[in-house]
Amino acid sequence: MNDNAFHFPVLLDAICKLIEDLPVKSDLIYIDSTLGEGVHAKAILEKYDFLSLVGIERDPQILERAKHFLSIFEERITYFNDWFDNFFVNYPLNVKANFILVDLGISMFHYKGSKKGFSFLEDEPLDMRLCSSSCKISASEIVNTFSKYDLEALIYDLSNEHYSRRISKAIIEYRKIKKIETTKELQSIISKVYPFSKVKINPATKTFQALRIYVNDELARLKRSLPFWVENLAKDGILAIITFHSIEDRIVKDFFGGLSCDLYAKISKKPIMPSFDEIKKNKPSRSAKLRVIKKL
Ligand SMILES: C[S@@+](CC[C@H](N)C(=O)[O-])C[C@H]1O[C@@H](n2cnc3c(N)ncnc32)[C@H](O)[C@@H]1O
């Protein structure tokens, strides 16, 4: 296995600052709810020897990469191959967490190395399941079986795609002739009906995002986890959540807004965002927003 990670950790300096501000610095539990390749985790464990890591990751393929990448820290880590909502609802630890990190979405490995059809830049079978045994449906089954109205609603609701109607119509027309099997096929269907003057990003970007969110039930898992993340924080514990699109960010913002000020403090009123320099070095960080609360 290659020792180099595909992923580049987002807002790492801001996250380290949160750890440095923890009042006690011995025997602390850091739960990484979205371990990925373990790039955040590696940087954090290297810097702070008072932390033990509990790493949660649903995708078994990337979890193996994380185990390899983090092998020098083996005795400080416990791994869970599970959805983070399942983990937190059935919280299996007998101690509460001092630092919980949630870095939502998927990793650069998923786009570039997983071969599961997350990226329209690669030519791969359309799948997008982080876990094939516990996801009810693949992206290919959605585009080949959903009605025009259900497809339109899915694409619009999960990505705010303005052209969801014409995209769903084009998908239905295409599949009358042939089943849609690959990422490139879907990307080409979308590109042909997208108005040229409106193209700032790849026309397929939002539709691919919507399909991935639906396949992995991302919004329901986020909503289900929020109360359990805060419940399982120790006193002075920190919950840090990085989102990558406005629908997720709104869910986190509203939830934090509804918490009692006597029990929880927001670390900053506005979300923390990457600097111009970070965006220059790592373009995918441009849409990241970090929201943080502390248990009092
Ligand atoms: C943005 S990546 C995290 C990258 C990680 N912070 C790093 O530095 O390598 C998100 C990861 O969370 C995983 N993931 C997404 N939703 C999940 C869920 N509900 N439960 C468990 N893992 C999830 C994805 O498979 C992906 O590997």
Side-chain angles (χ1 to χ4, degrees):
M1 196 181 289
N2 191 332
D3 280 340
N4 295 326
F6 285 85
H7 200 73
F8 204 83
V10 173
L11 288 164
L12 180 62
D13 290 346
I15 286 163
C16 289
K17 167 91 175 60
L18 297 171
I19 297 173
E20 271 150 33
D21 288 346
L22 289 168
V24 179
K25 293 190 178 55
S26 70
D27 286 336
L28 301 187
I29 302 290
Y30 148 41
I31 304 187
D32 197 321
S33 309
T34 49
L35 187 65
E37 289 182 291
V39 188
H40 274 118
K42 187 170 189 216
I44 291 170
L45 290 176
E46 262 166 7
K47 229 171 158 176
Y48 308 109
D49 62 4
F50 54 86
L51 294 175
S52 296
L53 168 67
V54 175
I56 308 162
E57 172 57 55
R58 179 60 282 188
D59 180 352
Q61 196 187 5
I62 198 169
L63 181 60
E64 282 315 304
R65 294 181 65 79
K67 286 181 180 171
H68 179 74
F69 198 55
L70 296 170
S71 55
I72 50 164
F73 303 106
E74 208 171 57
E75 65 288 1
R76 290 168 63 196
I77 309 178
T78 313
Y79 295 101
F80 286 84
N81 180 206
D82 202 353
W83 296 106
F84 55 60
D85 48 316
N86 286 349
F87 176 94
F88 278 93
V89 170
N90 305 301
Y91 196 71
L93 312 178
N94 52 17
V95 279
K96 299 217 171 199
N98 305 99
F99 184 69
I100 300 178
L101 177 62
V102 186
D103 179 16
L104 290 166
I106 55 170
S107 160
M108 208 34 80
F109 164 75
H110 287 113
Y111 291 110
K112 294 191 171 166
S114 72
K115 309 217 181 304
K116 284 191 186 160
F118 289 105
S119 168
F120 43 77
L121 299 175
E122 313 291 331
D123 196 11
E124 296 171 355
L126 256 184
D127 185 328
M128 301 197 188
R129 289 171 296 177
L130 289 179
C131 166
S132 47
S133 60
S134 61
C135 288
K136 290 193 199 100
I137 194 164
S138 69
S140 160
E141 286 168 75
I142 294 172
V143 295
N144 286 297
T145 63
F146 273 31
S147 71
K148 178 169 166 299
Y149 301 102
D150 287 346
L151 267 178
E152 183 183 333
L154 183 157
I155 296 168
Y156 184 78
D157 292 348
L158 299 181
S159 70
N160 301 327
E161 171 59 72
H162 188 70
Y163 299 103
S164 57
R165 181 167 295 175
R166 62 170 79 182
I167 291 172
S168 59
K169 186 163 176 255
I171 290 174
I172 302 290
E173 289 305 315
Y174 185 94
R175 78 188 197 202
K176 283 182 188 158
I177 301 159
K178 185 189 170 303
K179 195 174 166 201
I180 304 162
E181 284 166 306
T182 68
T183 47
K184 285 285 177 198
E185 242 176 323
L186 181 58
Q187 194 237 344
S188 141
I189 295 167
I190 298 169
S191 298
K192 281 186 188 137
V193 294
Y194 219 83
F196 241 85
S197 59
K198 307 287 178 197
V199 178
K200 286 199 190 88
I201 50 174
N202 189 301
T205 306
K206 290 189 168 191
T207 301
F208 271 63
Q209 173 191 304
L211 287 169
R212 189 201 84 216
I213 292 175
Y214 187 92
V215 165
N216 296 293
D217 207 8
E218 291 181 21
L219 302 184
R221 293 187 188 286
L222 171 61
K223 288 180 192 159
R224 189 169 178 237
S225 302
L226 282 160
F228 294 94
W229 278 322
V230 295
E231 186 184 315
N232 290 302
L233 276 178
K235 181 177 173 317
D236 295 323
I238 294 282
L239 169 63
I241 306 183
I242 305 171
T243 62
F244 289 88
H245 56 82
S246 57
I247 307 173
E248 275 174 347
D249 182 56
R250 166 63 56 186
I251 293 171
V252 177
K253 182 177 177 210
D254 289 350
F255 179 80
F256 282 6
L259 289 171
S260 156
C261 305
D262 296 334
L263 300 175
Y264 300 95
K266 279 196 211 112
I267 294 294
S268 72
K269 217 166 166 203
K270 298 235 176 228
I272 301 166
M273 316 244 269
S275 64
F276 180 71
D277 268 4
E278 175 166 359
I279 297 172
K280 228 164 71 181
K281 283 188 206 133
N282 180 26
K283 213 170 151 212
S285 71
R286 67 191 180 283
S287 38
K289 285 186 181 168
L290 169 64
R291 293 190 186 269
V292 186
I293 53 136
K294 173 180 175 164
K295 192 161 191 167
L296 301 175

